[in-house]
């Protein structure tokens, strides 16, 4: 039996993040100010973010150093393992080789601390006392709560109500780390109150929760805002995942033909794939890169590539991205981390350039894939990660049908230990696929802002 | 900053378990048959266990090989990391060096798969179709469910009712792996029905759940029983933990002065400490070995060293151990994995020989220690593991008071991601210390069986 687990010594942990902006054949469209519709400069973002992160957002150099105090924290769980899924391969009867990078070993159980820790550190360096943020399933909120505890920063989390109700244990985790957590829409902000006035039972959305968190930051001098995905600097921070995977696959003597990640805002997908895409953009090997999204919130496969607001109340800058419209409210499916109307501008840009593919699956088929994976490999994936598992299994079965021994790499971005109520529902055959409302999508797309050329 | 995480390549994973029986200065008292009160032979145990495990139970050789198919499964997460708790040391202001072996990286989130996997494998080799077992918090039940899924064995779990109600997500995990789980006492067995007849709201206990699981195995030809702690072969399987820690501390250039583990049945404590104790018994260095138990179920510190039944219905053999009496029902505190009336005979024996120490703490001070740990090190420990954290912090603060830079090693036997309702209660100041009933303890001790000399 060949090796199962590929571990890097912490002395080999990457010292720099990889910035794909340096290698893009076409530059990214700039973000626009929500008031003026003109490109925003660093100063426009200063109420929300510390300057160090703003500079990363617009950086053009290929490598950006990971500060040593951040690496010191990472060593608690990084480098994360790369695992060869021998048992899953056998269960599927596929000639493909399947590897997964496992980010569930972090204290919060997902990839999110990879960006929460540097964000908290750069804010602490800038003297920020408090961070406000949104969260869906709670993976991001608990990660920022963890990072805040390390650097003495107060953290306030607005959690999308449907997830707040479905996943009380994530909230308990945030509170254990010392953060406060409220259901969004809340009565704490103008944005939240406006939504509740129309619908007191509103299930919430990431777009609304972002508005609330941005509003708190914009109206308090000692408070900044932190986002868990979508933005360039967030995707940048996740590239440590793919860089480690590259070193680990070298140890394994393998090279991936297909790389699969799930996409909500795009950060874990970017983390696993951008370092490989960068090789290609610099003249290296072309690989298939597959983004898997929920069929109930299909921004990459059904959205429009256009400028749109990042939040519901239109307080955040507009970015050019695949979007379902900022007024679109996705159904309350269990992969709360994937319930965002837009997609990271960088991921959207790569899709438009034909460098990545995208596909969408419903939640029941994703949970079925997750249970297959759990019974073969032991790890119970988070509902978000089940989309990547499903995507990898589809590729492995294609290899079986074609008799090809390709190498598949996917990012298992988190474990599902906080999501067992969803598994309970699935096992009891109570989990249904919830299609989005086509009329609502059409209306949301029709309402996309018009932007001066 | 010195190194944080000490990883062993899987090629250095131990190939043999360490059997402390080979090094004991005084042999262990034999188990007795519950009917005849005479020493049991291997054949007496054959209805419950496959012969390979029975032979391990009575083995006298120092090293017993870990079968390659078992090691192949272990490679999914083993060797587990050894982590230097730099941040906790700093938070405590102690000159002590604190290391923890982290067993929460296993698929089930605890050390229990270390024995579940070999137990399932040896049963599968013997042609067993079904395993019945008990579980407290659910860590053992979910681990056996995982192991059963790997080797095609059906698993039926009797879960102590108070934990079944407190921790529904552990049950969902068992079901995801394909096991069935019922609350104990149940209507499925004579033992369960007898208890329910007296008290339909009985909170259950590990002693009762063991009776139910043993009854199912004893009355079905294709079914055997599996126990997650207490027995010699179970402790044997956990010694891989301490053997790895020994290699990792060598990498760190350190040697522990104090080793701390929490004790319920004794298996994770044995796992971390026995290989070190073995060195001492063979003429090596003497170290302090500290067992930490819950003050609400204090078998080592308040129990009697005597022959007692392992279960409530007296279906299992008697062993000589520290016991609170098999009729003792501990209060429903949150560390469900530590709610057992007895202690592993091997651990009890070492206590009587003066080779280990024991101490007890209440759950609130243990949760306080767990929150301190989580905010410093990121990992949220299981309520059981919080007892070890508390024990390690007490030692670290003693070092601070004495100005001594000792090296402390403890076993962080599982994460608390399934136990966040307990953390919620603690954070909301709703968690109370639940003393056991002194009169009930006195009665249970008075009722210990009399055994022929």
């Amino acid at each position: 039996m060949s090796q199962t687990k590929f571990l890097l010594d912490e002395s080999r942990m990457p010292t720099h993040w990889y910035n794909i902006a340096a290698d893009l054949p076409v530059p990214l469209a700039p973000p626009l100010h929500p008031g003026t519709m003109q490109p925003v400069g660093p100063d426009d973002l200063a109420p929300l973010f510390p300057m160090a992160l703003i500079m990363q957002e617009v950086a053009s150099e290929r490598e950006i150093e990971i500060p040593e105090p951040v690496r010191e924290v990472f060593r608690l769980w990084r480098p994360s393992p790369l695992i060869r899924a021998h048992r899953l391969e056998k269960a599927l009867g596929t000639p493909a080789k399947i590897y997964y990078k496992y980010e569930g070993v972090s204290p919060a159980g997902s990839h999110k601390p990879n960006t929460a820790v540097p964000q908290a550190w750069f804010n602490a360096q800038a003297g920020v006392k408090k961070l406000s943020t949104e969260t869906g399933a709670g993976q991001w909120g608990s990660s920022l709560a963890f990072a805040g505890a390390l650097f003495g920063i107060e953290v306030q989390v607005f959690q999308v109500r449907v997830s707040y109700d479905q996943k009380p244990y994530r909230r308990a985790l945030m509170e254990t780390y010392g953060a406060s957590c409220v259901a969004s829409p809340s009565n704490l902000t103008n944005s939240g109150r406006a939504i509740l006035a129309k619908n007191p039972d509103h299930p919430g959305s990431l777009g609304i929760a972002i508005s609330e968190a941005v509003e708190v930051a914009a109206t308090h001098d000692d408070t900044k805002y932190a986002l868990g995905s979508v933005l360039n600097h967030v995707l940048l921070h996740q590239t440590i995942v793919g860089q480690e995977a590259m070193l680990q696959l070298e140890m394994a003597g393998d090279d991936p033909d297909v790389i699969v990640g799930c996409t909500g805002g795009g950060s874990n997908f970017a983390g696993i794939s951008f370092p490989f895409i960068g090789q290609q953009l610099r003249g290296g090997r072309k690989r298939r890169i597959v983004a898997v999204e929920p069929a109930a919130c299909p921004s990459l496969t059904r959205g429009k590539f256009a400028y749109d607001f990042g939040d519901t109340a239109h307080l955040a800058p507009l970015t050019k991205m695949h979007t379902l419209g900022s007024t679109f409210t996705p159904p309350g499916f269990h992969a709360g981390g994937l319930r965002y109307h837009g997609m990271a501008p960088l991921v959207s840009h790569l899709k438009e350039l034909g460098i990545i593919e995208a596909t969408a699956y419903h939640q029941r088929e994703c949970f079925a894939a997750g249970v297959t994976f759990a019974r073969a490999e032991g790890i119970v994936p988070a509902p978000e990660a089940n989309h990547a598992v499903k995507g990898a299994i589809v590729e492995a079965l294609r290899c079986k049908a074609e008799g090809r021994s390709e190498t598949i790499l996917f990012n298992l971005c988190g474990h599902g230990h906080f999501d067992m109520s969803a598994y309970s529902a699935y096992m009891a055959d109570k989990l249904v696929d919830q299609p989005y409302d086509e009329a609502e999508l059409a209306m949301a797309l029709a309402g996309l802002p018009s932007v001066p050329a």
Side-chain angles (χ1 to χ4, degrees), chain A residues 350-376:
Chain A
L350 292 168
K351 173 73 165 42
E352 283 302 295
L353 293 174
I355 293 169
I356 66 167
E357 308 168 27
T359 180
Y361 296 106
H362 282 288
Q363 69 174 352
R364 282 174 56 86
E365 55 192 338
C366 292
F367 271 93
V371 170
T372 297
F373 184 85
R375 291 183 184 180

PDB file of all heavy atoms in Angstrom, chain A residues 350-376:
ATOM      1  N   LEU A 350     -11.450  34.793 -13.958  1.00  0.00           N
ATOM      2  CA  LEU A 350     -10.824  33.582 -14.516  1.00  0.00           C
ATOM      3  C   LEU A 350     -11.840  32.744 -15.280  1.00  0.00           C
ATOM      4  O   LEU A 350     -11.514  32.099 -16.272  1.00  0.00           O
ATOM      5  CB  LEU A 350     -10.189  32.750 -13.390  1.00  0.00           C
ATOM      6  CG  LEU A 350      -8.962  33.394 -12.723  1.00  0.00           C
ATOM      7  CD1 LEU A 350      -8.602  32.645 -11.445  1.00  0.00           C
ATOM      8  CD2 LEU A 350      -7.766  33.404 -13.687  1.00  0.00           C
ATOM      9  N   LYS A 351     -13.091  32.767 -14.795  1.00  0.00           N
ATOM     10  CA  LYS A 351     -14.155  32.054 -15.502  1.00  0.00           C
ATOM     11  C   LYS A 351     -14.393  32.703 -16.865  1.00  0.00           C
ATOM     12  O   LYS A 351     -14.502  32.016 -17.890  1.00  0.00           O
ATOM     13  CB  LYS A 351     -15.432  32.078 -14.650  1.00  0.00           C
ATOM     14  CG  LYS A 351     -16.677  31.513 -15.314  1.00  0.00           C
ATOM     15  CD  LYS A 351     -16.627  30.008 -15.420  1.00  0.00           C
ATOM     16  CE  LYS A 351     -17.986  29.390 -15.729  1.00  0.00           C
ATOM     17  NZ  LYS A 351     -18.789  30.066 -16.717  1.00  0.00           N
ATOM     18  N   GLU A 352     -14.450  34.030 -16.875  1.00  0.00           N
ATOM     19  CA  GLU A 352     -14.674  34.747 -18.140  1.00  0.00           C
ATOM     20  C   GLU A 352     -13.531  34.510 -19.118  1.00  0.00           C
ATOM     21  O   GLU A 352     -13.728  34.492 -20.330  1.00  0.00           O
ATOM     22  CB  GLU A 352     -14.824  36.253 -17.868  1.00  0.00           C
ATOM     23  CG  GLU A 352     -16.180  36.635 -17.321  1.00  0.00           C
ATOM     24  CD  GLU A 352     -17.335  36.241 -18.243  1.00  0.00           C
ATOM     25  OE1 GLU A 352     -17.429  36.775 -19.365  1.00  0.00           O
ATOM     26  OE2 GLU A 352     -18.115  35.373 -17.824  1.00  0.00           O
ATOM     27  N   LEU A 353     -12.319  34.357 -18.595  1.00  0.00           N
ATOM     28  CA  LEU A 353     -11.146  34.133 -19.448  1.00  0.00           C
ATOM     29  C   LEU A 353     -11.041  32.673 -19.903  1.00  0.00           C
ATOM     30  O   LEU A 353     -10.131  32.306 -20.641  1.00  0.00           O
ATOM     31  CB  LEU A 353      -9.859  34.529 -18.704  1.00  0.00           C
ATOM     32  CG  LEU A 353      -9.689  36.023 -18.390  1.00  0.00           C
ATOM     33  CD1 LEU A 353      -8.453  36.253 -17.518  1.00  0.00           C
ATOM     34  CD2 LEU A 353      -9.571  36.833 -19.681  1.00  0.00           C
ATOM     35  N   GLY A 354     -11.969  31.832 -19.446  1.00  0.00           N
ATOM     36  CA  GLY A 354     -11.958  30.418 -19.857  1.00  0.00           C
ATOM     37  C   GLY A 354     -10.884  29.589 -19.169  1.00  0.00           C
ATOM     38  O   GLY A 354     -10.551  28.492 -19.612  1.00  0.00           O
ATOM     39  N   ILE A 355     -10.362  30.100 -18.060  1.00  0.00           N
ATOM     40  CA  ILE A 355      -9.278  29.386 -17.373  1.00  0.00           C
ATOM     41  C   ILE A 355      -9.827  28.361 -16.384  1.00  0.00           C
ATOM     42  O   ILE A 355      -9.186  27.361 -16.091  1.00  0.00           O
ATOM     43  CB  ILE A 355      -8.333  30.418 -16.692  1.00  0.00           C
ATOM     44  CG1 ILE A 355      -7.615  31.220 -17.790  1.00  0.00           C
ATOM     45  CG2 ILE A 355      -7.333  29.747 -15.759  1.00  0.00           C
ATOM     46  CD1 ILE A 355      -6.872  32.434 -17.290  1.00  0.00           C
ATOM     47  N   ILE A 356     -11.023  28.598 -15.877  1.00  0.00           N
ATOM     48  CA  ILE A 356     -11.665  27.631 -14.976  1.00  0.00           C
ATOM     49  C   ILE A 356     -13.044  27.239 -15.514  1.00  0.00           C
ATOM     50  O   ILE A 356     -13.627  27.962 -16.326  1.00  0.00           O
ATOM     51  CB  ILE A 356     -11.823  28.197 -13.536  1.00  0.00           C
ATOM     52  CG1 ILE A 356     -12.799  29.385 -13.525  1.00  0.00           C
ATOM     53  CG2 ILE A 356     -10.470  28.609 -12.954  1.00  0.00           C
ATOM     54  CD1 ILE A 356     -13.245  29.804 -12.139  1.00  0.00           C
ATOM     55  N   GLU A 357     -13.521  26.075 -15.056  1.00  0.00           N
ATOM     56  CA  GLU A 357     -14.875  25.605 -15.378  1.00  0.00           C
ATOM     57  C   GLU A 357     -15.747  25.759 -14.130  1.00  0.00           C
ATOM     58  O   GLU A 357     -15.231  25.869 -13.023  1.00  0.00           O
ATOM     59  CB  GLU A 357     -14.874  24.114 -15.726  1.00  0.00           C
ATOM     60  CG  GLU A 357     -13.881  23.695 -16.769  1.00  0.00           C
ATOM     61  CD  GLU A 357     -13.762  22.167 -16.826  1.00  0.00           C
ATOM     62  OE1 GLU A 357     -14.733  21.446 -16.482  1.00  0.00           O
ATOM     63  OE2 GLU A 357     -12.677  21.697 -17.215  1.00  0.00           O
ATOM     64  N   ALA A 358     -17.071  25.703 -14.334  1.00  0.00           N
ATOM     65  CA  ALA A 358     -17.963  25.722 -13.166  1.00  0.00           C
ATOM     66  C   ALA A 358     -19.104  24.746 -13.382  1.00  0.00           C
ATOM     67  O   ALA A 358     -19.545  24.522 -14.515  1.00  0.00           O
ATOM     68  CB  ALA A 358     -18.508  27.126 -12.936  1.00  0.00           C
ATOM     69  N   THR A 359     -19.575  24.178 -12.282  1.00  0.00           N
ATOM     70  CA  THR A 359     -20.699  23.246 -12.337  1.00  0.00           C
ATOM     71  C   THR A 359     -21.490  23.390 -11.039  1.00  0.00           C
ATOM     72  O   THR A 359     -20.989  23.950 -10.060  1.00  0.00           O
ATOM     73  CB  THR A 359     -20.189  21.798 -12.550  1.00  0.00           C
ATOM     74  OG1 THR A 359     -21.287  20.911 -12.592  1.00  0.00           O
ATOM     75  CG2 THR A 359     -19.265  21.381 -11.431  1.00  0.00           C
ATOM     76  N   ALA A 360     -22.749  22.933 -11.043  1.00  0.00           N
ATOM     77  CA  ALA A 360     -23.601  23.120  -9.859  1.00  0.00           C
ATOM     78  C   ALA A 360     -24.332  21.825  -9.521  1.00  0.00           C
ATOM     79  O   ALA A 360     -24.762  21.099 -10.423  1.00  0.00           O
ATOM     80  CB  ALA A 360     -24.613  24.244 -10.126  1.00  0.00           C
ATOM     81  N   TYR A 361     -24.483  21.552  -8.229  1.00  0.00           N
ATOM     82  CA  TYR A 361     -25.208  20.355  -7.779  1.00  0.00           C
ATOM     83  C   TYR A 361     -26.179  20.718  -6.661  1.00  0.00           C
ATOM     84  O   TYR A 361     -25.937  21.653  -5.894  1.00  0.00           O
ATOM     85  CB  TYR A 361     -24.243  19.284  -7.271  1.00  0.00           C
ATOM     86  CG  TYR A 361     -23.316  18.758  -8.339  1.00  0.00           C
ATOM     87  CD1 TYR A 361     -21.975  19.127  -8.356  1.00  0.00           C
ATOM     88  CD2 TYR A 361     -23.795  17.910  -9.343  1.00  0.00           C
ATOM     89  CE1 TYR A 361     -21.124  18.661  -9.351  1.00  0.00           C
ATOM     90  CE2 TYR A 361     -22.941  17.443 -10.344  1.00  0.00           C
ATOM     91  CZ  TYR A 361     -21.612  17.823 -10.333  1.00  0.00           C
ATOM     92  OH  TYR A 361     -20.781  17.378 -11.324  1.00  0.00           O
ATOM     93  N   HIS A 362     -27.252  19.910  -6.560  1.00  0.00           N
ATOM     94  CA  HIS A 362     -28.230  20.099  -5.497  1.00  0.00           C
ATOM     95  C   HIS A 362     -27.728  19.468  -4.195  1.00  0.00           C
ATOM     96  O   HIS A 362     -26.853  18.607  -4.213  1.00  0.00           O
ATOM     97  CB  HIS A 362     -29.581  19.498  -5.905  1.00  0.00           C
ATOM     98  CG  HIS A 362     -30.331  20.377  -6.852  1.00  0.00           C
ATOM     99  ND1 HIS A 362     -30.914  21.558  -6.461  1.00  0.00           N
ATOM    100  CD2 HIS A 362     -30.565  20.263  -8.186  1.00  0.00           C
ATOM    101  CE1 HIS A 362     -31.496  22.130  -7.507  1.00  0.00           C
ATOM    102  NE2 HIS A 362     -31.294  21.368  -8.569  1.00  0.00           N
ATOM    103  N   GLN A 363     -28.325  19.904  -3.063  1.00  0.00           N
ATOM    104  CA  GLN A 363     -27.742  19.491  -1.789  1.00  0.00           C
ATOM    105  C   GLN A 363     -27.893  17.998  -1.476  1.00  0.00           C
ATOM    106  O   GLN A 363     -27.026  17.412  -0.846  1.00  0.00           O
ATOM    107  CB  GLN A 363     -28.255  20.357  -0.640  1.00  0.00           C
ATOM    108  CG  GLN A 363     -29.693  20.226  -0.243  1.00  0.00           C
ATOM    109  CD  GLN A 363     -30.006  21.059   1.010  1.00  0.00           C
ATOM    110  OE1 GLN A 363     -29.132  21.611   1.660  1.00  0.00           O
ATOM    111  NE2 GLN A 363     -31.282  21.155   1.344  1.00  0.00           N
ATOM    112  N   ARG A 364     -28.964  17.366  -1.940  1.00  0.00           N
ATOM    113  CA  ARG A 364     -29.118  15.935  -1.611  1.00  0.00           C
ATOM    114  C   ARG A 364     -28.017  15.087  -2.244  1.00  0.00           C
ATOM    115  O   ARG A 364     -27.451  14.207  -1.602  1.00  0.00           O
ATOM    116  CB  ARG A 364     -30.497  15.421  -2.055  1.00  0.00           C
ATOM    117  CG  ARG A 364     -31.624  15.818  -1.099  1.00  0.00           C
ATOM    118  CD  ARG A 364     -32.985  15.412  -1.646  1.00  0.00           C
ATOM    119  NE  ARG A 364     -33.032  13.989  -1.931  1.00  0.00           N
ATOM    120  CZ  ARG A 364     -33.332  13.051  -1.033  1.00  0.00           C
ATOM    121  NH1 ARG A 364     -33.622  13.398   0.199  1.00  0.00           N
ATOM    122  NH2 ARG A 364     -33.359  11.789  -1.371  1.00  0.00           N
ATOM    123  N   GLU A 365     -27.707  15.353  -3.495  1.00  0.00           N
ATOM    124  CA  GLU A 365     -26.639  14.575  -4.146  1.00  0.00           C
ATOM    125  C   GLU A 365     -25.283  14.892  -3.518  1.00  0.00           C
ATOM    126  O   GLU A 365     -24.399  14.037  -3.452  1.00  0.00           O
ATOM    127  CB  GLU A 365     -26.626  14.787  -5.667  1.00  0.00           C
ATOM    128  CG  GLU A 365     -26.529  16.222  -6.112  1.00  0.00           C
ATOM    129  CD  GLU A 365     -26.820  16.424  -7.614  1.00  0.00           C
ATOM    130  OE1 GLU A 365     -26.691  15.472  -8.410  1.00  0.00           O
ATOM    131  OE2 GLU A 365     -27.176  17.578  -7.971  1.00  0.00           O
ATOM    132  N   CYS A 366     -25.153  16.114  -2.998  1.00  0.00           N
ATOM    133  CA  CYS A 366     -23.900  16.460  -2.310  1.00  0.00           C
ATOM    134  C   CYS A 366     -23.793  15.743  -0.962  1.00  0.00           C
ATOM    135  O   CYS A 366     -22.721  15.264  -0.579  1.00  0.00           O
ATOM    136  CB  CYS A 366     -23.794  17.968  -2.134  1.00  0.00           C
ATOM    137  SG  CYS A 366     -23.586  18.830  -3.708  1.00  0.00           S
ATOM    138  N   PHE A 367     -24.917  15.665  -0.212  1.00  0.00           N
ATOM    139  CA  PHE A 367     -24.892  14.917   1.051  1.00  0.00           C
ATOM    140  C   PHE A 367     -24.648  13.428   0.797  1.00  0.00           C
ATOM    141  O   PHE A 367     -23.929  12.763   1.559  1.00  0.00           O
ATOM    142  CB  PHE A 367     -26.182  15.129   1.847  1.00  0.00           C
ATOM    143  CG  PHE A 367     -26.105  16.319   2.764  1.00  0.00           C
ATOM    144  CD1 PHE A 367     -26.540  17.567   2.359  1.00  0.00           C
ATOM    145  CD2 PHE A 367     -25.555  16.198   4.034  1.00  0.00           C
ATOM    146  CE1 PHE A 367     -26.437  18.672   3.186  1.00  0.00           C
ATOM    147  CE2 PHE A 367     -25.452  17.296   4.879  1.00  0.00           C
ATOM    148  CZ  PHE A 367     -25.898  18.544   4.451  1.00  0.00           C
ATOM    149  N   ALA A 368     -25.231  12.890  -0.272  1.00  0.00           N
ATOM    150  CA  ALA A 368     -24.976  11.480  -0.608  1.00  0.00           C
ATOM    151  C   ALA A 368     -23.482  11.266  -0.832  1.00  0.00           C
ATOM    152  O   ALA A 368     -22.898  10.280  -0.355  1.00  0.00           O
ATOM    153  CB  ALA A 368     -25.773  11.081  -1.856  1.00  0.00           C
ATOM    154  N   ALA A 369     -22.849  12.200  -1.530  1.00  0.00           N
ATOM    155  CA  ALA A 369     -21.401  12.116  -1.759  1.00  0.00           C
ATOM    156  C   ALA A 369     -20.656  12.201  -0.429  1.00  0.00           C
ATOM    157  O   ALA A 369     -19.692  11.462  -0.190  1.00  0.00           O
ATOM    158  CB  ALA A 369     -20.955  13.231  -2.700  1.00  0.00           C
ATOM    159  N   GLY A 370     -21.128  13.082   0.458  1.00  0.00           N
ATOM    160  CA  GLY A 370     -20.482  13.247   1.762  1.00  0.00           C
ATOM    161  C   GLY A 370     -20.562  11.978   2.610  1.00  0.00           C
ATOM    162  O   GLY A 370     -19.598  11.618   3.289  1.00  0.00           O
ATOM    163  N   VAL A 371     -21.705  11.295   2.574  1.00  0.00           N
ATOM    164  CA  VAL A 371     -21.856  10.058   3.350  1.00  0.00           C
ATOM    165  C   VAL A 371     -20.959   8.958   2.765  1.00  0.00           C
ATOM    166  O   VAL A 371     -20.301   8.213   3.507  1.00  0.00           O
ATOM    167  CB  VAL A 371     -23.337   9.625   3.404  1.00  0.00           C
ATOM    168  CG1 VAL A 371     -23.481   8.223   3.989  1.00  0.00           C
ATOM    169  CG2 VAL A 371     -24.147  10.623   4.240  1.00  0.00           C
ATOM    170  N   THR A 372     -20.906   8.859   1.443  1.00  0.00           N
ATOM    171  CA  THR A 372     -19.978   7.914   0.796  1.00  0.00           C
ATOM    172  C   THR A 372     -18.552   8.188   1.254  1.00  0.00           C
ATOM    173  O   THR A 372     -17.795   7.274   1.607  1.00  0.00           O
ATOM    174  CB  THR A 372     -20.064   8.059  -0.740  1.00  0.00           C
ATOM    175  OG1 THR A 372     -21.373   7.713  -1.160  1.00  0.00           O
ATOM    176  CG2 THR A 372     -19.050   7.155  -1.445  1.00  0.00           C
ATOM    177  N   PHE A 373     -18.198   9.460   1.263  1.00  0.00           N
ATOM    178  CA  PHE A 373     -16.843   9.849   1.659  1.00  0.00           C
ATOM    179  C   PHE A 373     -16.594   9.490   3.123  1.00  0.00           C
ATOM    180  O   PHE A 373     -15.556   8.929   3.474  1.00  0.00           O
ATOM    181  CB  PHE A 373     -16.651  11.349   1.440  1.00  0.00           C
ATOM    182  CG  PHE A 373     -15.260  11.827   1.723  1.00  0.00           C
ATOM    183  CD1 PHE A 373     -14.270  11.753   0.751  1.00  0.00           C
ATOM    184  CD2 PHE A 373     -14.911  12.338   2.966  1.00  0.00           C
ATOM    185  CE1 PHE A 373     -12.974  12.176   1.004  1.00  0.00           C
ATOM    186  CE2 PHE A 373     -13.617  12.765   3.241  1.00  0.00           C
ATOM    187  CZ  PHE A 373     -12.650  12.679   2.252  1.00  0.00           C
ATOM    188  N   ALA A 374     -17.559   9.815   4.001  1.00  0.00           N
ATOM    189  CA  ALA A 374     -17.393   9.568   5.439  1.00  0.00           C
ATOM    190  C   ALA A 374     -17.205   8.082   5.721  1.00  0.00           C
ATOM    191  O   ALA A 374     -16.378   7.695   6.543  1.00  0.00           O
ATOM    192  CB  ALA A 374     -18.594  10.103   6.213  1.00  0.00           C
ATOM    193  N   ARG A 375     -17.978   7.252   5.042  1.00  0.00           N
ATOM    194  CA  ARG A 375     -17.884   5.808   5.314  1.00  0.00           C
ATOM    195  C   ARG A 375     -16.598   5.202   4.752  1.00  0.00           C
ATOM    196  O   ARG A 375     -16.157   4.153   5.218  1.00  0.00           O
ATOM    197  CB  ARG A 375     -19.129   5.093   4.769  1.00  0.00           C
ATOM    198  CG  ARG A 375     -20.360   5.481   5.582  1.00  0.00           C
ATOM    199  CD  ARG A 375     -21.631   4.761   5.167  1.00  0.00           C
ATOM    200  NE  ARG A 375     -22.753   5.291   5.962  1.00  0.00           N
ATOM    201  CZ  ARG A 375     -24.008   4.882   5.850  1.00  0.00           C
ATOM    202  NH1 ARG A 375     -24.330   3.939   4.979  1.00  0.00           N
ATOM    203  NH2 ARG A 375     -24.947   5.422   6.610  1.00  0.00           N
ATOM    204  N   ALA A 376     -16.006   5.862   3.767  1.00  0.00           N
ATOM    205  CA  ALA A 376     -14.751   5.357   3.196  1.00  0.00           C
ATOM    206  C   ALA A 376     -13.534   5.962   3.890  1.00  0.00           C
ATOM    207  O   ALA A 376     -12.604   5.259   4.261  1.00  0.00           O
ATOM    208  CB  ALA A 376     -14.702   5.668   1.701  1.00  0.00           C
TER     209      ALA A 376
END
